[in-house]
Amino acid sequence: MAKVILKGKKNERIEKGHPWVYSTEILSIKGNYKPGDIVEVYLENGKFLGKGYINPKSQITVRFLTKNKDEEIDREFFKNRIIKALNYRKQLNYGESYRLIYAEADFLPALIVDKFNNTLVIQTLSLGMEKYKNIIVDILVELLSPECVYERNDAPVRELEGLELKKGVLYGELPEKIIIEENGIQYYVDVVEGQKTGFFFDQRENRKAIEPFVKGKEILECFCYTGSFALNAAKYGANNILAYDYSDEAISLARENAKLNGVQDNIKFEVGNAFDILRKFYNDKKKFDVVILDPPAFVKSKKALEGAIRGYKEINLRGMKLLKPGGFLITSSCSHHVKDELFFEILMSAAYDAKVTMRIIEKRSQAKDHPVLAASEETSYLKFYILELY
């Protein structure tokens, strides 16, 4: 087994539990290896740090699988890790649909598995995890007996690992329609063409958290995707909801979801660019009781941070200007590079420019099936605020 030697006599980030080795941290590699192989990682002084898979094409050259030198990386290893992830999710009482494996936070770096009833959707987002894909699918079938395992390996991040983009059935047969239930609401899920794996479980508790603030209210939602926040608002008694998304396919599915739950008369789903919609309602002097903003990640890298800050500032500023006095802005960011403190600064700046006073009613994060690895800030990404504005 090849040995990766890091620069320096200590590496606090890794020694505290961070699961990545960057290419710039490597002093030398001793022994032969092929990309995707398991390697051992050491400090210059010979201290063992862990074992993981290596890919010299990636800036994240090694991703740790274990800190135990004697632990073999084999089928039994992956089975034990998947069982632990499954047992944890069972404690949450989330029903039959949830994120089963959340990559580094479940000690299986670059592996995502979402469970939609009897359909599993898998992403292997690194070369090392791709090598074990067939073993992982075999274990998932053994443990869960799914109707189908479908891969959504069309995420552009795979190209950074030298991997092709692809999607398709890996096991079984894909159901004609997939319907899941969350918080008592049913959703059609498009695992083939939908965003990411087809549904965003990370807002589960946040969708429920809006309940006290929407009954009898007039609501505007932007970036609604397939309608989850709007559907929850309707369930909790909102009587007039306008919801927009730029995707025709998403809006079509949102309308089906409204019919599925019998709230089609409470929600008007329309295709539209959020920036244009917010600007139009402001020019028309339209006011709402609640504005909900759940945008996709505006920033995929640090280089794009400045533009993302402007984008978040604009939508939140315009959202605040559309609220009646005492209205609620329900807003979030899923951009990892926009840290908690920065997102709060953006909201404060928007409130100042909108000339409103902001009260924080609740600050939340991602759902419990997306646990945060304390040593890896990358696993914490979702910021969610319920704000009252005067």
Side-chain angles (χ1 to χ4, degrees):
M1 187 178 296
K3 295 181 179 181
V4 175
I5 312 300
L6 304 189
K7 299 172 184 175
K9 295 181 179 179
K10 65 178 182 178
N11 188 312
E12 287 189 8
R13 180 181 60 82
I14 291 175
E15 291 180 85
K16 288 179 179 178
H18 197 282
W20 297 346
V21 174
Y22 295 104
S23 59
T24 54
E25 296 175 298
I26 296 174
L27 176 66
S28 63
I29 302 177
K30 298 179 180 180
N32 298 320
Y33 70 91
K34 293 180 294 186
D37 280 355
I38 301 298
V39 297
E40 294 180 341
V41 180
Y42 293 84
L43 293 174
E44 270 188 82
N45 61 11
K47 181 179 178 179
F48 174 79
L49 294 178
K51 294 195 292 190
Y53 55 75
I54 187 170
N55 184 2
K57 290 185 177 180
S58 174
Q59 287 187 330
I60 305 171
T61 306
V62 180
R63 299 177 192 247
F64 286 108
L65 287 167
T66 180
K67 299 301 177 75
N68 181 351
K69 190 174 183 178
D70 298 323
E71 189 169 25
E72 293 295 325
I73 308 301
D74 53 16
R75 188 183 191 281
E76 194 65 18
F77 168 86
F78 283 98
K79 183 176 179 179
N80 288 337
R81 288 286 168 91
I82 293 171
I83 287 173
K84 287 179 181 178
L86 178 59
N87 287 342
Y88 167 69
R89 269 64 180 190
K90 287 179 178 178
Q91 293 179 85
L92 302 177
N93 294 318
Y94 275 178
E96 294 301 321
S97 300
Y98 46 79
R99 173 146 293 182
L100 171 57
I101 298 173
Y102 177 41
E104 279 77 356
D106 282 302
F107 311 104
L108 290 167
L111 175 64
I112 299 291
V113 180
D114 280 346
K115 183 177 184 294
F116 301 106
N117 290 332
N118 292 321
T119 297
L120 303 178
V121 179
I122 184 173
Q123 294 180 304
T124 46
L125 302 176
S126 67
L127 173 63
M129 201 54 76
E130 176 77 6
K131 285 188 66 174
Y132 292 100
K133 182 173 67 178
N134 292 339
I135 291 174
I136 291 165
V137 170
D138 183 60
I139 293 166
L140 291 170
V141 171
E142 176 191 339
L143 295 176
L144 293 162
S145 302
E147 184 176 350
C148 177
V149 180
Y150 191 87
E151 73 171 321
R152 279 298 302 267
N153 277 328
D154 52 346
V157 69
R158 277 173 55 96
E159 294 179 321
L160 301 176
E161 293 275 327
L163 296 170
E164 65 177 321
L165 305 187
K166 56 185 176 180
K167 57 183 179 178
V169 173
L170 298 176
Y171 169 83
E173 185 175 340
L174 187 67
E176 185 176 342
K177 286 190 175 181
I178 297 173
I179 299 176
I180 67 168
E181 184 172 313
E182 178 193 271
N183 298 338
I185 295 171
Q186 292 185 309
Y187 300 90
Y188 291 109
V189 178
D190 183 357
V191 303
V192 178
E193 300 297 339
Q195 294 180 28
K196 298 292 183 70
T197 62
F199 189 79
F200 295 99
F201 288 121
D202 55 2
Q203 293 273 28
R204 180 190 302 263
E205 284 95 345
N206 299 338
R207 289 189 267 261
K208 187 172 177 58
I210 72 173
E211 180 176 2
F213 312 107
V214 297
K215 186 175 182 179
K217 302 295 179 63
E218 187 174 8
I219 294 174
L220 170 67
E221 182 186 1
C222 291
F223 312 100
C224 71
Y225 189 41
T226 58
S228 58
F229 275 103
L231 292 167
N232 277 267
K235 174 188 174 182
Y236 298 135
N239 53 22
N240 188 3
I241 305 167
L242 297 176
Y244 294 86
D245 196 272
Y246 70 92
S247 166
D248 293 273
E249 293 78 11
I251 288 299
S252 176
L253 201 55
R255 289 169 179 160
E256 289 189 50
N257 286 335
K259 292 178 182 177
L260 184 64
N261 291 277
V263 294
Q264 64 270 24
D265 295 334
N266 302 69
I267 311 171
K268 184 178 181 182
F269 286 110
E270 296 290 345
V271 176
N273 179 290
F275 291 89
D276 296 336
I277 296 300
L278 291 166
R279 191 178 301 113
K280 178 183 183 301
F281 281 131
Y282 174 74
N283 291 336
D284 292 346
K285 295 181 169 54
K286 174 67 176 175
K287 295 288 185 179
F288 297 88
D289 300 302
V290 180
V291 172
I292 302 173
L293 303 173
D294 183 23
F298 284 165
V299 52
K300 302 293 186 181
S301 67
K302 288 184 179 179
K303 293 180 181 178
L305 185 57
E306 187 175 333
I309 291 172
R310 289 195 298 269
Y312 283 118
K313 170 75 175 289
E314 180 177 346
I315 62 171
N316 283 285
L317 171 60
R318 293 192 178 278
M320 290 175 180
K321 288 183 174 181
L322 292 178
L323 285 170
K324 301 172 185 176
F328 293 95
L329 177 67
I330 297 171
T331 185
S332 64
S333 165
C334 62
S335 297
H336 158 67
H337 293 287
V338 178
K339 308 299 183 187
D340 288 354
E341 298 81 3
L342 176 56
F343 190 53
F344 180 71
E345 288 175 12
I346 292 169
L347 295 175
M348 286 291 290
S349 177
Y352 177 81
D353 288 355
K355 297 179 174 59
V356 296
T357 299
M358 184 173 78
R359 292 206 307 173
I360 301 172
I361 304 305
E362 194 166 3
K363 178 185 175 184
R364 303 180 59 86
S365 184
Q366 59 223 47
K368 297 181 184 69
D369 55 358
H370 291 64
V372 174
L373 184 63
S376 173
E377 64 176 14
E378 293 84 0
T379 59
S380 175
Y381 64 93
L382 185 61
K383 286 76 60 179
F384 180 89
Y385 281 88
I386 299 175
L387 305 171
E388 189 177 21
L389 300 164
Y390 291 92

